Amino acid sequence: MIHMAETKVNESEKPRIGVFVCSCGSNIGGFVDVPSVADYAKTLPDVVYATQNMYTCAEDGLSNIREAIRKHNLNRVIVASCTPRTHAPLFQATCESAGLNKYLFTFVNIREHCSWVHMKEKDLATKKSKDLIRMGVARARLLKPQEEAKVEVEPVGLVIGGGVSGMTAAASLADMGFPVHLVEREGDLGGFVKILNNLYVTEKSAAETIKPLIEKVTAHKNITLHLNSSVKSVEGFIGNYEVGIAPKGGEEKKYKVGTIVVATGALEFVPEGLYGYNQYPNVVTLTEFEILCRKKTLPKLKSVAFIQCVGSRGQKMSYCSRICCNVAIKNAINIADNYEDMLGVMEKQGTLVDKIPVEKKATEEILERRRRRRGRGTEGEGDAEEVKLGPSEKIEVTVFNRDVMAYGVEHELTYNKAREKRVKFNRYTLDHLPKVFMEDNQLKVTYFHETLKLERTMPVDMVVLSTPLVAQPDAGDLSKMLKVPLGQEGFFLEAHVKLRPVDFATDGIYVAGTCKGPADITEAVTQGAAAASRAATPMAKGYVQAEALSSVVDETKCTGCGTCIEVCPYGALRKNEKGIAEVIVAACKGCGCCGATCPEGAITMTNYTDAQLLAEAKAALQEEV
Amino acid sequence: MAEASQAQWEPKIIGFLCNWCSYAGADLCGVSRYQYPTNVRAVRVMCSTRISPHLVLDILKAGADGVLLGGCHIGDCHYISGNYYTEKRVRLMKRLLEESGVEPERLRLEWVSASEGEKFSKIVTDFTEQVRKLGPSKVKKDEKLRSRVAAADDASETFRLKALVGRELNLVNKGNVYNNKLDPAELDRIIDSATEEEFERSLILELSMSKPRSVKELGEIMEVPTDKVLRHIVALRQKNMIAMEHPEGFTPTYKTIVIGGEQ
Amino acid sequence: MEKAVMVIGGGVAGIQASLDLADKGLIVHLVEKTPSIGGRMAQLDKTFPTNDCSICILAPKMADCFSHPNTNVITYSEVIGVEGSVGNFKVKVLKKARYVDESKCTGCGECLEKCPSKVVNDWEMGLTTRKAIYIPFMQAVPRVMTIDKEHCLKLTKDKCGNCMKACKRGAINYEMKDQVLEVEVAAIIVATGFDVWDPTPSTEYGYGRYPNVFTAMEYERMINAAGPTHGHIQRRSDKERPRKMAFIQCVGSRNPQVGHPYCCAVCCMHATKESMLAREHYDDIESTIFYKDMRACSKGFYEYVERAKRDYGVRYINSDATVQENADKHNPIVVYDVGGRQQSEEFDLVVLATTLVPKKETAELAKLLGLKVDEFGFLESSDRILGPGRTVKPGIYLAGYAAGPADIPESVAQGSSAAAKAVEAIAQAGG
Ligand SMILES: Cc1cc2nc3c(=O)[nH]c(=O)nc-3n(C[C@H](O)[C@H](O)[C@H](O)COP(=O)(O)OP(=O)(O)OC[C@H]3O[C@@H](n4cnc5c(N)ncnc54)[C@H](O)[C@@H]3O)c2cc1C
Ligand SMILES: Cc1cc2nc3c(=O)[nH]c(=O)nc-3n(C[C@H](O)[C@H](O)[C@H](O)COP(=O)(O)OP(=O)(O)OC[C@H]3O[C@@H](n4cnc5c(N)ncnc54)[C@H](O)[C@@H]3O)c2cc1C
Ligand code: SF4
Ligand code: SF4
Ligand code: SF4
Ligand code: SF4
Ligand code: SF4
Ligand code: FES
């Protein structure tokens, strides 16, 4: 499919330039004296052929170019017409079809940059067209044929993180037929979801819901699972990574992979010192609340308050965590609908749960420990005795919020449903934060009533704090190892917020799930599959081809100062064993930053050398000859 | 007579436009038929970050009346961070132009997005007028000015200035990695004083290329105090870039050491 | 045998899906209903939260998608029949006659100038006119003309024929007939996007009655430099530029009584963007946004809103709002309530964030394909949690706004995700 141009020019051969000036109907012809421009082109150095066409891009124009290349033995072609941004590929392909390397083609724009912007000055526009062609000729004389580098891609994927997004990415790659290494640092797959109660839009338990995915990943013949393991080292570039994976306390082993998906997830923010957390009993985070529900260990409650945006939206973290409103709504509905189902062992005694210990991450342990402290260490969930309360509607649920992020169809309808179930949504502003305190052995919440403009206090039995997802504390290590950036608040930063949501700027590495920023499961697995698609592309092709637009280091001039390595946005430069800068052609995008920066002037750009640019620019300063 | 040639004279302006935004903006300007004067000749580069001070200074040395640089808006660069460097480099270019005596207004950097066709026409119109007011470049006629521009060009290529400007962003932004974030204003100050020094040293080399010159002579031509000239000469001698020649009587003269065939 | 996939809908989601597939060496047939690919994103001015110029970042993708050696972009076409199942679907595509030979037209536009028939320009949201022979927008892909047969004098009354005379390429063909193509594909991706709901029935906003009430989509075209007013914000009544603008959110959405109960998920953000852009155009414009909940909840969105408040002076008022008019100057008056007290304020111009609804035809398409739609017409996934984008029909996948409210990055991710699923299916089927 990709065809390499045969190289017709040997470098010492004298340039033989052909110039094709286009009238583009009357688009150029109407405002520029095209015949005189074509005549003028003939007088320029090394131009052996010049002509005009009505439409150079039409098939007759193109065949004119092909014929002229053969008949006049042209080794440089210049088309003076519209803009290279849309038409260069067409003319380059035409040159190639006539055996001329596409890098020997030069585009001169006399339409967008001339005839269309100087419609009332035919003489001046004609003069400018001549100047522009003279510039093009000056450039063309210095062009060299280029080969496009091809780099083989190892068709093996690596996925870091075994949560829903990582599992989805791995399963997708595996289903497409690529072997995948899936690295999870914990002993089980499932990530954050495995400790949750139920998931929204389903009554099924979270663990049940993701079980099929875990089973698929575990059983898949193309997936090599590395549980209790982590990535220790990464060397190389797209198509050719060597990664070291080591089990906990074990030996590091090296694997060769072509592409990498990062899906390391996020943690829940611990609201230390906020709203009586870790100070009063029964003040818990959302995750802790879900664990209580799942374990069926909820105490008897008459009134529950959710406080939203605890530590988010400018309080500790600057961002909105996207999921916590909907998770709170889910739990509010659970209380209204399934409360009796979640009541647990403690209710027999009618006591309240005492405070939940603070952990970096809420785990099973929290509950284990609490139970042990209560002297019922060995009791299982099954022992929970049915304790019937009155009708669940009698439980009052209030959600103190700043804005309710029930975006889209599903969430908004669920939000409406919650209100129908008489869950109260109370808005607060930053000027009047709710307060949680203990009075007469009763937990209370004070809030500001916006309509009445006064403070009110209500007794509650439990306060659930909706805290945001926060970046993994060790994301920075991975970021350094992979040379991919972290953005705001420690989440991974994608290549382009709009159009490349699961790519990193560095080719060959992709990102999915909450390690990129808060997202729910549906969004995380969409990103997982998307990342798999992106990662599969170079592997399916088997190679990556770099446009010959890259930097070139002159080894004799480079002193290894490393400035270029610092400025390259794509990590496309590294030091070789001699301590000299080396370009990874497959990774270089040809921006030229390193070239303009190199203090030793050791870097030039293929096809955009200083000499070519200066010749082109200086030709403009000459007078018409 | 002079007036007549003045009337005939048309500014010659070179534009360097990045492929992804400013060139595309110029394209859209054409598509939308916004008119502008015919003075700009555009050279397409992939990114504005490609434009080293050398390219600009060399073009001005060759007699261009103005240089227009176009890039994507900050944050929009197709190569993520390219135009941040452009901004830093343009600052250096302007400082060097000031040193050399060429009006820094002959150089202009503009951010034009691919949808700002009309803006492109306005910029070209405005800049052409600005250059017209400045009059023809004096570089070609004024030999002294030409050597000063050449010195500015050389200075821009020195290790110190390139490394400083290249590292500037990292020093300011990623300072935390090294745990000593640099204050941008402080860094600008450091760069400015380095610019002045490197310019004067390059000028000494430039002036002492064709014939040996004494410190006093250099001081007079350069309009720099002799003690400062002497300090530069000491530094240049240490780097083996200038040699003392036949001390005639008590006044030594200095000549630039030319390596190889270059310059 | 070469494996092929069909993508229906050439918006950003469909383009992304096509590119992901084509880059993997699969053949893609992209069927787009309108004369150009690009979808809604091509109409937007800038995009939140980066304020990137929309068409600038999209146009290269459109060009890539069109000229990719593995894509076959069939514009001005619709799917009219589907048979078979995963691995071998046979799809019938109706390619409508555009009366211009795509292989000959160079998009030079000479024909346009000679065409006497003026038509309301839908693409510009009716803010201006186009000719009967037209290219929907400057950056359209493919860049070829189409004759609107309803309004062409030659095709309706056998009169004019100017464009044929004007066209030096001989591209015009009044005899052209609709064609039915039969395409065999292994999988199908549906990405038919959304439509903008016309808020005229919600009379409390005065749209259609008060000249200076606009929809957000109209406003997007108006602030676009390549749009009908060249980027100048103008009142309909007197072409003056406004100094005080109001944005009203959830117009027809989040309203189970009139309109639609769901949230469109993008309008809080686009209103924020639009108010910021107003300030970028004229630094004395003051904007107020009336909202129910400020749903700024993706990466960088909350910060974006904070920036709008801080750096662009945008005022946010948490209230429902309705519109009346001061008939003297045609100034809209916004009526709202804060803390239970009704208030009103006069503005120069009002922009309504109207509901975004799935395309009407999508429901018919769903029937053809055997897919399920929800009560609002959004295409339904079979597994909402772990399999978004999969449908009840194996081998058919969803992406973009057609499957539920999604902004551009989500649509792009869904496009890639659907591509992955199609490749999985093909590989599993023995590829
Ligand atoms: C209280 C709460 C309730 C929620 N309820 C819902 C709900 O009802 N519905 C819903 O859709 N979403 C819900 N969510 C969101 C859901 O949890 C996330 O969307 C989901 O977990 C994201 O999956 P992930 O794979 O991206 O990350 P995670 O689930 O966090 O998985 C990341 C995995 O990577 C591993 N890992 C991390 N670092 C490394 C490393 N360096 N090397 C190897 N492995 C590593 C971790 O151990 C973990 O297994 C809820 C979230 C919270 C906090
Ligand atoms: C006023 C406004 C401003 C916005 N601003 C932003 C913003 O700043 N940032 C952001 O991220 N998002 C923004 N959005 C949202 C954004 O427009 C959508 O997320 C995006 O366009 C969805 O892309 P899509 O490909 O799914 O659908 P669309 O863009 O609607 O594309 C669908 C395509 O399918 C075609 N089609 C439809 N039916 C058929 C059929 N039956 N057969 C064949 N083809 C068919 C259509 O013609 C169209 O080309 C904005 C939306 C609005 C209304
Ligand atoms: S609670 Fe709601 S508004 Fe607050 S951070 Fe979470 S999702 Fe955002
Ligand atoms: S040209 Fe740009 S991408 Fe290539 S090595 Fe240099 S800085 Fe990096
Ligand atoms: S139909 Fe003919 S005149 Fe019209 S744009 Fe196409 S080539 Fe030009
Ligand atoms: S024939 Fe039709 S499309 Fe052509 S110019 Fe006449 S009215 Fe317009
Ligand atoms: S995104 Fe905002 S304006 Fe749009 S429907 Fe949802 S809440 Fe209303
Ligand atoms: S690409 Fe335009 S400035 Fe970098």
Side-chain angles (χ1 to χ4, degrees), chain C residues 115-116 133 147 152-154 160-163 174:
Chain C
C115 176
I133 184 165
I147 296 181
C152 166
L153 304 178
K154 175 81 188 170
C160 158
N162 285 1
C163 53
Y174 301 122

Side-chain angles (χ1 to χ4, degrees), chain A residues 560-583:
Chain A
C561 71
T563 315
C564 55
I565 300 175
E566 245 175 66
V567 302
C568 175
Y570 299 99
L573 289 153
R574 64 178 171 203
K575 276 192 197 172
N576 65 13
E577 61 290 348
K578 285 179 264 172
I580 297 278
E582 173 181 77
V583 189

Side-chain angles (χ1 to χ4, degrees), chain B residues 23-258:
Chain B
Y23 194 94
D27 277 358
L28 182 66
C29 181
V31 169
S32 326
R33 312 295 200 276
Y34 293 115
Q35 305 293 297
Y36 55 77
T38 60
N39 306 62
V40 172
R41 305 285 179 267
V43 175
R44 186 171 66 111
V45 288
M46 292 318 282
C47 176
S48 69
T49 198
R50 170 70 187 86
I51 304 150
S52 58
H54 170 57
L55 289 178
V56 170
L57 295 167
D58 201 33
I59 287 297
L60 287 169
K61 194 170 75 186
D65 300 311
V67 175
L68 175 66
L69 308 184
C72 313
H73 286 272
I74 287 291
D76 285 2
C77 172
H78 190 72
Y79 304 95
I80 309 166
S81 50
N83 50 6
Y84 289 98
Y85 293 100
T86 310
E87 200 169 34
K88 301 290 171 205
R89 291 194 194 107
V90 167
R91 193 177 169 279
L92 173 70
M93 295 178 212
K94 294 217 168 211
R95 288 283 301 116
L96 282 166
L97 287 177
E98 266 167 40
E99 292 287 349
S100 72
V102 171
E103 305 86 338
E105 297 77 36
R106 290 191 188 274
L107 171 63
R108 183 135 148 195
L109 170 64
E110 288 282 355
W111 305 139
V112 181
S113 87
S115 65
E116 293 174 326
E118 188 176 12
K119 180 174 175 193
F120 185 79
S121 79
K122 285 196 174 129
I123 288 168
V124 172
T125 309
D126 190 76
F127 187 52
T128 307
E129 267 329 290
Q130 182 175 325
V131 174
R132 197 185 298 282
K133 283 208 190 93
L134 291 169
S137 161
K138 296 161 204 84
V139 169
K140 273 193 176 154
K141 293 206 189 90
D142 182 342
E143 199 183 319
K144 197 170 146 196
L145 185 61
R146 197 158 63 239
S147 55
R148 291 181 74 95
V149 177
D153 188 3
D154 294 345
S156 79
E157 294 277 270
T158 57
F159 187 92
R160 176 148 73 137
L161 288 186
K162 280 197 128 178
L164 261 177
V165 174
R167 292 224 148 103
E168 183 173 357
L169 264 195
N170 277 350
L171 289 174
V172 174
N173 296 342
K174 300 206 189 131
N176 48 4
V177 177
Y178 315 101
N179 277 330
N180 54 342
K181 238 181 188 171
L182 260 179
D183 170 26
E186 169 66 9
L187 196 61
D188 278 349
R189 211 191 46 73
I190 294 174
I191 291 177
D192 286 352
S193 81
T195 309
E196 187 184 318
E197 265 182 35
E198 290 301 336
F199 171 76
E200 286 170 1
R201 287 177 193 173
S202 298
L203 188 53
I204 291 173
L205 293 175
E206 194 65 40
L207 293 170
S208 314
M209 186 100 72
S210 45
K211 68 175 203 163
R213 300 201 192 249
S214 70
V215 171
K216 183 154 169 270
E217 196 183 353
L218 285 168
E220 272 162 14
I221 304 177
M222 291 167 61
E223 293 166 29
V224 168
T226 45
D227 57 332
K228 215 172 163 199
V229 174
L230 195 58
R231 256 185 286 132
H232 287 320
I233 291 208
V234 172
L236 289 170
R237 285 192 66 190
Q238 276 166 1
K239 290 193 200 160
N240 212 15
M241 297 175 86
I242 202 162
M244 204 196 308
E245 298 225 331
H246 336 285
E248 295 159 8
F250 293 103
T251 26
T253 60
Y254 299 90
K255 187 152 191 326
T256 305
I257 299 174
V258 181

Side-chain angles (χ1 to χ4, degrees), chain A residues 498, chain C residues 8-14 31-34 36 38-41 44 46-48 77-79 191-194 196 216-217 220 266 270 273-274 356 359 361-362 365 399-402 406-409 411:
Chain A
K498 299 270 97 184
Chain C
I8 308 175
V12 67
V31 177
E32 164 59 46
K33 198 174 160 205
T34 67
S36 169
R40 290 289 175 186
M41 188 177 166
L44 305 180
K46 303 274 163 58
T47 59
F48 59 75
S77 302
E78 267 169 86
V79 168
T192 50
F194 68 89
V196 186
M217 211 44 166
E220 290 271 349
V266 297
H270 74 57
K273 164 188 79 178
E274 287 151 8
L356 308 181
K359 286 251 172 206
E361 313 89 281
T362 298
L365 184 65
Y401 213 108
D407 65 4
I408 293 164
S411 301

Side-chain angles (χ1 to χ4, degrees), chain A residues 144-157:
Chain A
K144 301 228 165 80
Q146 306 289 344
E147 291 288 318
E148 297 192 334
K150 241 182 176 181
V151 185
E152 302 271 315
V153 175
E154 182 78 21
V156 177

